[in-house]
Amino acid sequence: MRDLDALIKAYDIRGTVPDQLDAELAFQIGAAFAYQLGAELVAVGHDMRISSPELAAGFAAGVNSRGTDVLAVELASTDLLYFASGIRNVPGAMITASHNPPAYNGIKLCRAAAAPVGQDTGLAEIRTLLETGLPKYDGPTGTLQSEDLLPSYSEYLHGLVDLDGLRRLPSASTKQTSASPSTATPIAASSSMRTAMPYPRTTSSA
Protein backbone atom coordinates (compact mmCIF):
# COMPACT_ATOMS: atom_id res chain seq x y z
CA MET A 1 0.00 0.00 0.00
CA ARG A 2 1.30 3.46 -0.91
CA ASP A 3 1.86 6.10 1.75
CA LEU A 4 -1.52 7.80 1.44
CA ASP A 5 -0.60 10.27 4.19
CA ALA A 6 2.03 11.75 1.90
CA LEU A 7 -0.16 11.58 -1.20
CA ILE A 8 -3.61 12.80 -0.18
CA LYS A 9 -3.47 16.45 0.81
CA ALA A 10 -6.13 18.76 2.20
CA TYR A 11 -7.60 19.68 -1.18
CA ASP A 12 -6.03 17.37 -3.76
CA ILE A 13 -3.91 14.32 -4.44
CA ARG A 14 -0.27 15.03 -5.19
CA GLY A 15 3.07 13.22 -5.21
CA THR A 16 6.10 12.19 -7.22
CA VAL A 17 5.77 9.92 -10.25
CA PRO A 18 6.02 6.94 -10.33
CA ASP A 19 7.04 6.10 -6.75
CA GLN A 20 4.07 7.82 -5.05
CA LEU A 21 1.61 8.06 -7.94
CA ASP A 22 1.38 5.95 -11.08
CA ALA A 23 -1.26 4.81 -13.60
CA GLU A 24 -2.28 1.83 -11.46
CA LEU A 25 -3.03 4.00 -8.45
CA ALA A 26 -4.74 6.56 -10.70
CA PHE A 27 -6.98 3.69 -11.87
CA GLN A 28 -7.88 2.87 -8.27
CA ILE A 29 -8.59 6.52 -7.47
CA GLY A 30 -10.78 6.85 -10.56
CA ALA A 31 -12.75 3.75 -9.57
CA ALA A 32 -13.19 5.01 -6.01
CA PHE A 33 -14.30 8.44 -7.24
CA ALA A 34 -16.90 6.92 -9.58
CA TYR A 35 -18.17 4.59 -6.85
CA GLN A 36 -18.32 7.37 -4.28
CA LEU A 37 -20.41 9.74 -6.40
CA GLY A 38 -22.44 7.26 -8.42
CA ALA A 39 -22.41 9.69 -11.34
CA GLU A 40 -23.24 8.68 -14.91
CA LEU A 41 -20.47 10.83 -16.45
CA VAL A 42 -17.13 12.24 -15.26
CA ALA A 43 -15.05 14.86 -17.12
CA VAL A 44 -11.30 14.22 -17.18
CA GLY A 45 -8.53 16.57 -18.31
CA HIS A 46 -4.76 16.76 -17.95
CA ASP A 47 -1.92 19.26 -18.16
CA MET A 48 1.20 18.98 -20.33
CA ARG A 49 3.47 17.12 -17.90
CA ILE A 50 5.08 14.05 -19.47
CA SER A 51 3.33 11.74 -17.02
CA SER A 52 -0.11 13.33 -17.34
CA PRO A 53 -1.58 11.47 -20.36
CA GLU A 54 -0.79 8.08 -18.81
CA LEU A 55 -2.24 9.09 -15.45
CA ALA A 56 -5.35 10.52 -17.12
CA ALA A 57 -5.81 7.29 -19.08
CA GLY A 58 -5.45 5.25 -15.89
CA PHE A 59 -7.94 7.43 -14.00
CA ALA A 60 -10.44 7.28 -16.88
CA ALA A 61 -10.11 3.50 -17.08
CA GLY A 62 -10.83 3.29 -13.36
CA VAL A 63 -13.96 5.39 -13.79
CA ASN A 64 -15.06 3.21 -16.72
CA SER A 65 -14.47 0.06 -14.66
CA ARG A 66 -17.38 1.06 -12.41
CA GLY A 67 -19.77 1.53 -15.33
CA THR A 68 -19.38 5.32 -15.45
CA ASP A 69 -18.80 7.13 -18.75
CA VAL A 70 -15.89 9.54 -19.24
CA LEU A 71 -15.82 12.83 -21.13
CA ALA A 72 -12.15 13.34 -22.02
CA VAL A 73 -11.30 17.00 -22.51
CA GLU A 74 -7.67 15.87 -22.83
CA LEU A 75 -4.96 18.60 -22.77
CA ALA A 76 -6.52 21.49 -20.85
CA SER A 77 -6.07 24.08 -18.15
CA THR A 78 -7.72 23.50 -14.78
CA ASP A 79 -10.23 26.29 -15.42
CA LEU A 80 -11.27 24.60 -18.67
CA LEU A 81 -11.89 21.34 -16.79
CA TYR A 82 -14.00 23.25 -14.27
CA PHE A 83 -15.91 24.80 -17.17
CA ALA A 84 -16.63 21.30 -18.50
CA SER A 85 -17.87 20.26 -15.06
CA GLY A 86 -20.11 23.31 -14.89
CA ILE A 87 -21.53 23.29 -18.40
CA ARG A 88 -22.28 19.55 -18.27
CA ASN A 89 -23.15 19.53 -14.57
CA VAL A 90 -20.92 16.50 -13.96
CA PRO A 91 -18.03 15.67 -11.60
CA GLY A 92 -14.53 16.20 -12.92
CA ALA A 93 -10.87 15.30 -12.43
CA MET A 94 -7.86 17.31 -13.53
CA ILE A 95 -4.47 15.59 -13.72
CA THR A 96 -2.02 18.29 -12.66
CA ALA A 97 0.41 19.23 -9.92
CA SER A 98 0.06 22.98 -10.51
CA HIS A 99 3.28 24.81 -9.62
CA ASN A 100 5.20 21.75 -8.39
CA PRO A 101 8.36 20.55 -10.22
CA PRO A 102 8.01 18.21 -13.24
CA ALA A 103 8.69 15.08 -11.16
CA TYR A 104 5.37 15.64 -9.39
CA ASN A 105 1.85 15.07 -10.56
CA GLY A 106 -1.55 14.92 -8.95
CA ILE A 107 -5.32 14.92 -9.25
CA LYS A 108 -7.74 17.74 -8.49
CA LEU A 109 -11.30 16.49 -8.05
CA CYS A 110 -14.60 18.32 -8.17
CA ARG A 111 -18.26 17.44 -7.91
CA ALA A 112 -20.87 18.53 -10.44
CA ALA A 113 -20.86 22.26 -11.24
CA ALA A 114 -17.16 22.38 -10.22
CA ALA A 115 -17.96 22.12 -6.51
CA PRO A 116 -14.59 21.50 -4.79
CA VAL A 117 -13.58 18.18 -3.23
CA GLY A 118 -11.41 18.28 -0.10
CA GLN A 119 -10.85 16.16 2.98
CA ASP A 120 -14.28 16.97 4.39
CA THR A 121 -16.10 16.71 1.06
CA GLY A 122 -14.85 13.44 -0.38
CA LEU A 123 -11.08 12.93 -0.16
CA ALA A 124 -11.21 11.22 3.24
CA GLU A 125 -13.83 8.80 1.93
CA ILE A 126 -11.76 8.10 -1.18
CA ARG A 127 -8.78 7.33 1.02
CA THR A 128 -10.88 4.85 3.02
CA LEU A 129 -12.03 3.17 -0.18
CA LEU A 130 -8.42 2.86 -1.35
CA GLU A 131 -7.48 1.23 1.95
CA THR A 132 -10.43 -1.15 2.25
CA GLY A 133 -11.19 -1.85 -1.39
CA LEU A 134 -14.36 -1.45 -3.44
CA PRO A 135 -17.30 -3.83 -3.65
CA LYS A 136 -17.17 -6.12 -6.66
CA TYR A 137 -18.79 -4.73 -9.80
CA ASP A 138 -19.93 -7.07 -12.59
CA GLY A 139 -21.87 -4.62 -14.76
CA PRO A 140 -20.94 -3.17 -18.14
CA THR A 141 -17.96 -0.85 -18.39
CA GLY A 142 -18.43 2.81 -19.14
CA THR A 143 -17.61 4.51 -22.41
CA LEU A 144 -15.02 7.18 -23.22
CA GLN A 145 -15.59 10.05 -25.60
CA SER A 146 -13.31 12.98 -26.38
CA GLU A 147 -14.54 16.50 -26.97
CA ASP A 148 -12.77 19.78 -27.67
CA LEU A 149 -14.51 22.30 -25.39
CA LEU A 150 -12.00 25.11 -25.95
CA PRO A 151 -14.14 26.90 -28.58
CA SER A 152 -17.14 26.85 -26.23
CA TYR A 153 -14.99 28.02 -23.31
CA SER A 154 -13.53 30.83 -25.40
CA GLU A 155 -17.01 31.91 -26.45
CA TYR A 156 -18.17 31.81 -22.83
CA LEU A 157 -15.28 33.99 -21.62
CA HIS A 158 -15.79 36.53 -24.39
CA GLY A 159 -19.45 36.70 -23.42
CA LEU A 160 -18.46 37.87 -19.92
CA VAL A 161 -16.56 40.96 -21.06
CA ASP A 162 -17.38 43.73 -23.53
CA LEU A 163 -14.18 43.99 -25.56
CA ASP A 164 -15.26 46.96 -27.67
CA GLY A 165 -12.89 49.85 -27.21
CA LEU A 166 -10.22 47.86 -25.38
CA ARG A 167 -6.70 48.03 -26.75
CA ARG A 168 -4.65 44.90 -27.31
CA LEU A 169 -2.06 44.00 -24.69
CA PRO A 170 0.78 41.46 -24.95
CA SER A 171 0.28 38.29 -22.93
CA ALA A 172 2.66 35.73 -21.49
CA SER A 173 2.44 32.42 -19.68
CA THR A 174 5.13 31.37 -17.22
CA LYS A 175 3.95 27.95 -16.02
CA GLN A 176 5.73 25.62 -18.40
CA THR A 177 4.21 22.47 -16.86
CA SER A 178 0.63 23.72 -17.15
CA ALA A 179 -1.65 23.78 -20.16
CA SER A 180 -2.10 27.56 -19.91
CA PRO A 181 -0.62 28.31 -23.36
CA SER A 182 -2.88 25.77 -25.06
CA THR A 183 -5.90 27.49 -23.54
CA ALA A 184 -4.85 31.14 -23.41
CA THR A 185 -3.44 31.40 -26.93
CA PRO A 186 -6.63 30.42 -28.81
CA ILE A 187 -8.73 32.61 -26.52
CA ALA A 188 -6.45 35.61 -27.08
CA ALA A 189 -6.37 34.95 -30.81
CA SER A 190 -10.15 35.03 -30.96
CA SER A 191 -10.48 38.37 -29.18
CA SER A 192 -12.64 39.65 -32.02
CA MET A 193 -15.32 37.09 -31.14
CA ARG A 194 -18.57 38.36 -29.64
CA THR A 195 -21.37 36.44 -27.98
CA ALA A 196 -24.90 37.63 -27.50
CA MET A 197 -25.35 35.56 -24.35
CA PRO A 198 -22.83 33.88 -22.02
CA TYR A 199 -23.11 30.20 -21.23
CA PRO A 200 -25.37 29.60 -18.23
CA ARG A 201 -23.87 28.68 -14.90
CA THR A 202 -25.23 25.62 -13.16
CA THR A 203 -25.91 25.75 -9.45
CA SER A 204 -26.71 22.18 -8.48
CA SER A 205 -24.06 19.93 -6.96
CA ALA A 206 -24.22 16.18 -7.29
Side-chain angles (χ1 to χ4, degrees):
M1 173 62 67
R2 306 292 177 96
D3 183 3
L4 298 181
D5 285 335
L7 187 67
I8 300 180
K9 314 295 184 181
Y11 300 104
D12 63 3
I13 299 165
R14 190 171 65 253
T16 54
V17 178
D19 54 315
Q20 291 181 313
L21 178 63
D22 60 12
E24 180 181 354
L25 183 54
F27 179 99
Q28 296 171 9
I29 296 170
F33 187 55
Y35 172 78
Q36 175 196 42
L37 296 184
E40 295 182 357
L41 179 68
V42 173
V44 179
H46 67 80
D47 68 12
M48 62 189 295
R49 293 169 187 266
I50 293 175
S51 60
S52 290
E54 182 179 5
L55 293 177
F59 185 94
V63 172
N64 284 160
S65 74
R66 303 301 300 188
T68 301
D69 297 335
V70 168
L71 171 64
V73 299
E74 300 181 342
L75 180 62
S77 58
T78 301
D79 48 299
L80 177 53
L81 185 278
Y82 289 159
F83 171 77
S85 173
I87 199 72
R88 294 299 178 85
N89 197 33
V90 298
M94 180 67 189
I95 309 300
T96 181
S98 301
H99 60 280
N100 285 271
Y104 284 79
N105 216 324
I107 308 172
K108 294 180 182 290
L109 300 171
C110 66
R111 293 176 179 268
V117 171
Q119 283 289 336
D120 297 333
T121 53
L123 279 182
E125 183 179 350
I126 288 175
R127 172 178 175 157
T128 299
L129 291 171
L130 293 175
E131 292 173 335
T132 62
L134 298 177
K136 186 177 180 180
Y137 173 76
D138 293 324
T141 59
T143 63
L144 186 146
Q145 66 178 73
S146 300
E147 184 173 352
D148 180 11
L149 290 177
L150 184 55
S152 296
Y153 184 47
S154 176
E155 183 181 0
Y156 171 74
L157 292 180
H158 283 288
L160 299 178
V161 181
D162 183 3
L163 299 177
D164 292 335
L166 297 181
R167 64 187 181 90
R168 289 180 177 271
L169 295 173
S171 62
S173 177
T174 59
K175 291 186 177 180
Q176 297 185 14
T177 55
S178 75
S180 299
S182 69
T183 303
T185 300
I187 291 174
S190 63
S191 59
S192 61
M193 294 175 57
R194 298 291 184 269
T195 57
M197 181 181 299
Y199 274 66
R201 299 178 181 177
T202 57
T203 57
S204 63
S205 58

